[in-house]
């Protein structure tokens, strides 16, 4: 079944899958595949202008629905039935060999490249991927598809293969049921009705679930059915493209290309995607299908039929398979690839995709066991999937998690914070009593903020014990001390429990009347514009100063872009330290962090509240180390490790002690 589309329509040649109105090979469909894979590839390679290139997957779903929906409808109209064994056998031949080869290669890479403590989870994902359940696996994990590459799973992209195969496992059965239940009727009309009902329900579910918990809408098949259905509707009604006049066709094709370009530029990972945002690439995909059906009769049709796009479209499935592990593998070695390396990785992905297309896809489609029965092909395919899954499971039982790398992983633990439970988590709207130092002291210091405030608990406790303070910790994950609404990264919607918690903490601080309040917050709230953050910080500090307290604000620590303990555990596993391993560029290279620091300094200066910047104690060079005296300086990508944070206690004390002295001098 050369019309079969792999992850979201990423098949190679489509010699049997032209427009439903005719069976001729449609060059434009291959060009549309080429556009879609380039969007995805350039997005994943972090090429500027392609922040929203992930929409290419949605275009693939549309293409897939068009091709497979048209193929199944033609079979029903011609024979009155669907040969399910033949259908599944074609998909096995077309998709499975290249996918399993990729998974086997990743299994080897997992063992060689990743530290032992990472391997169990990665091998578990490989097992799920080989059984076409990757989307369910990633939906069950705290997966951030739009997160950085350094901690990304090398099989994350296989979620879309799982979605597609789960859909086509069920869809032919639904078509048969729709055509056989009740009195006789036209197959096209009945299938169209099924698409409209299932698609409408799926779209509503997609929008609703995206607003509640977008990750489930992103990964789970029911919320993607409508995207396949959009392509199927075009296949059910081939006259649509012919009904368009030349001018209308030019407009539809041009607007569709423009919509994809604009979405690629302006979409990013901050959206509650898919939701209603996915309507843009899906409708654009439908518009380009209409242009492709009319061939080169429009400007868009000529673009789609161009040889370079068709060539990329031919090998798009294998390019999709290989590009993500290539990019993730490179990110393990360097978190800042640079333009030249990125270009080389893109070229390598395309080259590997072409080799896989020629040496695997085409071989199994055209030359291997062509006389085998469909049932035998499906049985062998299922056995191969189970065998690879079993191999992944077997490897999980032979992981040595000891060794030198385990020592670095201790840096990921905040013993004081975690054992005390004083960093409350996402649903919490109140705080347990969290007193440290000398509880009976008449000098009270409050630590107030999110997890980037909690990282200072250990050094502040050392100072409290040394100087006889009562230290009260008021900290909540993903909830800044700055009194401004923020979005919760899991749902991409307003984080209301944070606002409730913060209001209660203000009440608690008012009752405590502390001598000193130390505020700190992450610099990662990118949904908050800098002017609003600056104004909110100013108003928050004024409010706290109104209690008669001294207020100090700690500048956020650097964002390294890599999981530091994991990076050093990998180095220990490799047995050698590559040049520049586990380093990161100074924060000055991040314009937003530098702009945020300037905005915070402006807000605090007129209020006389000190802006404590310990950046020089962490890094002074162009590239910053993440290990000092064999101690990892960070517990993850952005938080200081507890042992290293304690080394900063003397410098932190030099900044805070004068504030308490000034407060004591001014007290009545």
């Amino acid at each position: 079944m050369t019309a079969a589309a792999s992850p979201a329509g990423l098949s190679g040649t489509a010699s049997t899958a032209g427009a439903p109105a005719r069976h001729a090979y449609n060059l434009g469909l291959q060009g549309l595949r080429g556009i879609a894979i380039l969007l995805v590839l350039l997005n994943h390679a972090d090429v500027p202008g392609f922040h929203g290139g992930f929409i290419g997957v949605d275009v693939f779903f549309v293409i897939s629905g068009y091709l497979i929906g048209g193929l199944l409808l033609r079979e029903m109209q011609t024979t009155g039935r669907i040969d399910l064994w033949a259908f599944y056998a074609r998909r096995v031949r077309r998709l499975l060999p290249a996918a399993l080869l990729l998974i086997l290669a990743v299994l080897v890479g997992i063992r060689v490249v990743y530290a032992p403590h990472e391997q169990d989870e990665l091998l578990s994902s490989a097992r799920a991927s080989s059984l076409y359940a990757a989307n369910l696996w990633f939906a069950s994990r705290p997966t951030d598809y739009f997160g950085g590459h350094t901690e990304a799973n090398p099989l994350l992209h296989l979620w879309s293969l799982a979605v597609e195969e789960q859909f086509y496992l069920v869809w032919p059965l639904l078509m048969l049921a729709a055509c056989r239940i009740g009195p006789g009727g036209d197959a096209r009309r009945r299938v169209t009705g099924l698409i409209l009902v299932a698609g409408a329900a799926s779209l509503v579910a997609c929008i609703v679930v995206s607003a509640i918990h977008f990750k489930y809408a992103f990964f789970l098949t029911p919320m993607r059915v409508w995207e396949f259905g959009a392509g199927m509707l075009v296949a059910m009604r081939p006259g649509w493209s012919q009904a368009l006049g030349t001018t209308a066709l030019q407009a539809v094709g041009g607007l569709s290309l423009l919509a994809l370009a604009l979405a690629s530029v302006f979409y990013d990972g901050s959206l509650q995607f898919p939701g209603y945002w996915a309507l843009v690439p899906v409708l654009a995909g439908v518009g380009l299908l209409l242009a492709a059906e009319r061939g080169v009769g429009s400007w868009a049709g000529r673009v789609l039929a161009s040889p370079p796009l068709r060539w990329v479209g031919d090998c798009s499935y294998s390019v999709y398979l290989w590009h993500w592990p290539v990019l993730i593998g490179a990110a393990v070695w360097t978190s800042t690839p640079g333009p030249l390396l990125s270009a080389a990785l893109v070229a390598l992905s395309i080259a590997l995709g072409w080799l896989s297309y020629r040496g695997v896809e085409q071989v199994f489609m055209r030359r291997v066991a062509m006389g085998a029965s469909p049932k035998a092909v499906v049985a062998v395919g299922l056995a191969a999937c189970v065998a690879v899954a079993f191999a992944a499971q077997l490897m999980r039982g032979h992981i040595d998690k000891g060794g030198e790398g385990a020592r670095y992983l201790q840096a990921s633990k905040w013993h004081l914070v975690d054992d005390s439970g004083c960093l409350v988590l996402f649903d919490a709207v109140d705080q347990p009593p969290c007193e440290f130092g000398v509880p009976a002291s008449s000098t009270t210091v409050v630590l107030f903020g999110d997890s980037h405030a909690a990282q200072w608990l250990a050094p502040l406790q050392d100072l409290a014990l040394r100087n006889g303070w009562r230290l009260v910790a008021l900290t909540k994950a993903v909830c800044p001390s700055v009194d401004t609404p923020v979005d919760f990264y899991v749902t991409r919607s307003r984080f209301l429990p944070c606002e409730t918690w913060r209001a209660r903490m203000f009440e608690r601080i008012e009752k405590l009347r502390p001598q000193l309040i130390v505020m700190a917050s992450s610099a990662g709230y990118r949904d908050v514009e800098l002017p609003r953050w600056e104004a909110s910080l100013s108003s928050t500090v004024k409010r706290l100063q109104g209690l008669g307290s001294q207020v100090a604000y700690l500048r956020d620590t650097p964002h390294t872009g890599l999981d530091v303990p994991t990076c050093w555990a990998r180095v220990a596993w490799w047995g050698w330290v590559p040049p520049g391993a586990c380093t990161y560029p100074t924060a000055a290279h991040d314009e937003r962090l530098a702009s945020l620091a300037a905005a915070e300094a402006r807000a605090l200066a007129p209020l006389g509240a000190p802006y404590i910047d310990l950046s020089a104690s962490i890094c002074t060079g162009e590239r910053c180390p993440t290990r000092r005296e064999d101690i990892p300086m960070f517990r993850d990508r952005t938080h200081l490790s507890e042992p290293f944070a304690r080394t900063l206690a003397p410098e932190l004390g030099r900044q805070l002690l004068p504030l308490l002295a000034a407060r004591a001098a001014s007290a009545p």
Side-chain angles (χ1 to χ4, degrees):
M1 185 176 68
T2 50
S6 66
L10 285 163
S11 65
T13 57
S15 57
T16 63
R22 62 186 193 280
H23 290 231
Y25 174 62
N26 191 323
L27 299 178
L29 291 180
Q30 293 303 92
L32 184 52
R33 281 196 186 98
I35 288 177
I37 187 57
L38 288 175
L39 286 171
V40 173
L41 176 57
L42 297 176
N43 166 251
H44 288 166
D46 289 330
V47 175
F50 292 90
H51 299 298
F54 53 84
I55 60 171
V57 174
D58 303 271
V59 177
F60 284 132
F61 286 154
V62 175
I63 300 170
S64 177
Y66 174 82
L67 290 172
I68 306 306
L71 189 72
L72 293 172
L73 177 65
R74 287 195 296 273
E75 184 177 358
M76 289 197 66
Q77 291 179 318
T78 303
T79 67
R81 66 188 183 89
I82 296 175
D83 188 338
L84 294 175
W85 286 110
F87 174 74
Y88 295 133
R90 288 193 296 268
R91 295 193 71 78
V92 167
R93 282 184 174 277
R94 175 67 187 84
L95 307 177
L96 195 58
L100 290 185
L101 176 63
L102 179 278
I103 294 172
L104 287 171
V106 170
L107 286 179
V108 175
I110 288 171
R111 183 64 87 192
V112 173
V113 172
Y114 289 92
H117 78 280
E118 303 174 274
Q119 292 179 14
D120 184 73
E121 194 73 348
L122 292 171
L123 291 170
S124 176
S125 72
R127 181 187 59 189
S129 297
S130 64
L131 299 175
Y132 286 95
N135 63 325
L136 304 176
W137 192 92
F138 287 113
S140 70
R141 263 56 175 188
T143 307
D144 183 2
Y145 179 83
F146 302 102
H149 287 179
T150 52
E151 287 86 55
N153 189 299
L155 294 173
L156 175 59
H157 64 315
L158 297 191
W159 73 271
S160 61
L161 275 78
V163 166
E164 187 173 7
E165 293 316 298
Q166 290 164 17
F167 176 75
Y168 287 121
L169 183 65
V170 175
W171 184 254
L173 302 175
L174 294 178
M175 287 183 63
L176 286 171
C179 292
R180 291 180 179 177
I181 294 175
D186 178 64
R188 187 187 301 272
R189 184 177 297 111
R190 289 193 171 216
V191 173
T192 300
L194 172 64
I195 293 169
L196 290 173
V197 171
S202 172
L203 176 58
V204 170
C206 178
I207 293 173
V208 171
V209 175
S210 293
I212 299 171
H213 203 312
F214 84 98
K215 183 180 72 172
Y216 294 145
F218 189 93
F219 283 119
L220 299 184
T221 303
M223 273 63 75
R224 297 288 189 161
V225 168
W226 69 278
E227 301 188 31
F228 295 98
M232 287 183 178
L233 283 179
V234 181
M236 297 301 110
R237 293 290 183 266
W240 284 355
S241 63
Q242 301 301 322
L244 290 173
T246 302
T247 302
L249 184 66
Q250 295 278 18
V252 167
L255 288 173
S256 297
L257 288 172
L258 178 62
L260 290 181
L262 291 176
S264 177
V265 171
F266 292 108
Y267 279 19
D268 59 31
S270 67
L271 302 178
Q272 291 177 317
F273 195 88
Y276 56 81
W277 297 103
L279 284 166
V280 173
V282 169
L283 292 176
V286 168
L288 291 175
L289 284 178
L290 296 175
E293 281 196 338
R294 288 277 290 274
V296 295
S298 66
W299 176 77
R302 290 190 292 275
V303 170
L304 295 177
S306 62
L309 282 179
R310 284 162 33 208
W311 182 86
V312 175
D314 284 343
C315 55
S316 56
Y317 172 49
S318 283
V319 172
Y320 185 87
L321 287 177
W322 286 97
H323 85 283
W324 184 251
V326 166
L327 295 171
I328 298 307
V332 169
W333 299 99
T334 172
S335 59
T336 53
L340 290 179
L341 180 55
S342 293
L345 294 173
V346 168
L348 177 60
S349 300
I350 295 174
L352 288 174
W354 182 83
L355 289 173
S356 175
Y357 167 68
R358 297 288 296 181
V360 181
E361 292 185 52
Q362 292 296 294
V363 168
F364 278 88
M365 276 301 300
R366 301 182 186 279
R367 294 197 289 275
V368 174
M370 296 304 295
S373 70
K375 290 183 180 180
V377 171
V378 172
V380 170
L382 290 175
C385 289
V386 171
V388 174
F390 180 75
Q393 182 64 26
L394 193 63
M395 292 173 66
R396 292 181 70 194
H398 294 81
I399 300 173
D400 179 12
K401 295 185 179 180
E404 185 182 357
R407 178 170 56 85
Y408 292 112
L409 298 180
Q410 292 300 312
S412 65
K413 302 182 184 302
W414 276 348
H415 296 285
L416 183 61
V417 173
D418 297 338
D419 293 346
S420 66
C422 289
L423 177 63
V424 298
L425 299 181
F426 309 124
D427 294 333
V429 294
D430 211 336
Q431 185 89 19
C434 289
E435 296 193 1
F436 303 87
V438 183
S441 173
S442 60
T443 300
T444 300
V445 176
V446 167
L447 175 63
F448 181 33
D450 56 18
S451 60
H452 288 242
Q455 69 183 339
W456 298 106
L457 180 58
L460 283 172
Q461 185 206 36
D462 291 349
L463 291 172
L465 290 172
R466 190 176 305 141
N467 295 281
W469 308 338
R470 175 174 66 151
L471 174 63
V472 179
L474 306 177
T475 55
K476 175 178 171 63
V478 201
C479 188
S481 53
V482 176
D483 190 13
T484 186
V486 296
D487 290 345
F488 185 37
Y489 72 94
V490 174
T491 62
R492 302 291 198 267
S493 57
R494 188 164 171 173
F495 192 14
L496 296 177
C498 169
E499 297 174 37
T500 303
W501 174 87
R502 191 192 295 122
R504 292 182 178 180
M505 295 308 102
F506 280 134
E507 294 174 0
R508 189 175 296 189
I509 292 171
E510 187 171 357
K511 293 177 181 178
L512 288 170
R513 297 282 173 168
Q515 282 73 26
L516 173 64
I517 302 169
V518 180
M519 297 174 61
S521 302
S522 169
Y525 298 100
R526 294 181 181 266
D527 56 293
V528 183
E529 295 181 353
L530 292 184
R532 178 156 65 91
W533 184 269
E534 182 178 344
S536 298
L537 175 58
S538 177
S539 62
T540 304
V541 172
K542 286 180 183 177
R543 177 177 180 177
L544 296 175
Q545 287 177 329
L547 303 176
S549 302
Q550 290 278 9
V551 179
Y553 193 88
L554 277 164
R555 179 180 177 175
D556 194 19
T557 47
H559 292 199
T560 66
L562 65 150
D563 188 307
V564 171
T566 293
C567 184
W568 285 111
R570 288 174 182 170
V571 167
W573 175 247
W574 301 336
W576 67 290
V577 182
C582 305
T583 63
Y584 64 96
T586 175
H589 290 279
D590 188 323
E591 293 183 4
R592 188 185 186 281
L593 292 183
S595 299
L596 178 65
E600 290 172 340
R602 284 195 303 270
L604 296 168
L607 305 177
Y611 188 43
I612 300 176
D613 184 358
L614 300 183
S615 300
S617 299
I618 300 171
C619 176
T620 57
E622 283 293 308
R623 289 201 66 83
C624 304
T626 57
R627 186 174 66 174
R628 186 172 295 174
E629 297 179 357
D630 211 29
I631 298 174
M633 298 164 65
F634 293 82
R635 69 167 292 187
D636 49 27
R637 301 173 70 173
T638 63
H639 300 90
L640 298 180
S641 68
E642 187 173 278
F644 177 70
R646 288 187 186 276
T647 68
L648 301 179
E651 177 60 28
L652 185 59
R654 281 191 286 272
Q655 304 269 3
L656 297 180
L657 289 173
L659 299 177
L660 285 170
R663 173 66 173 75
S666 62

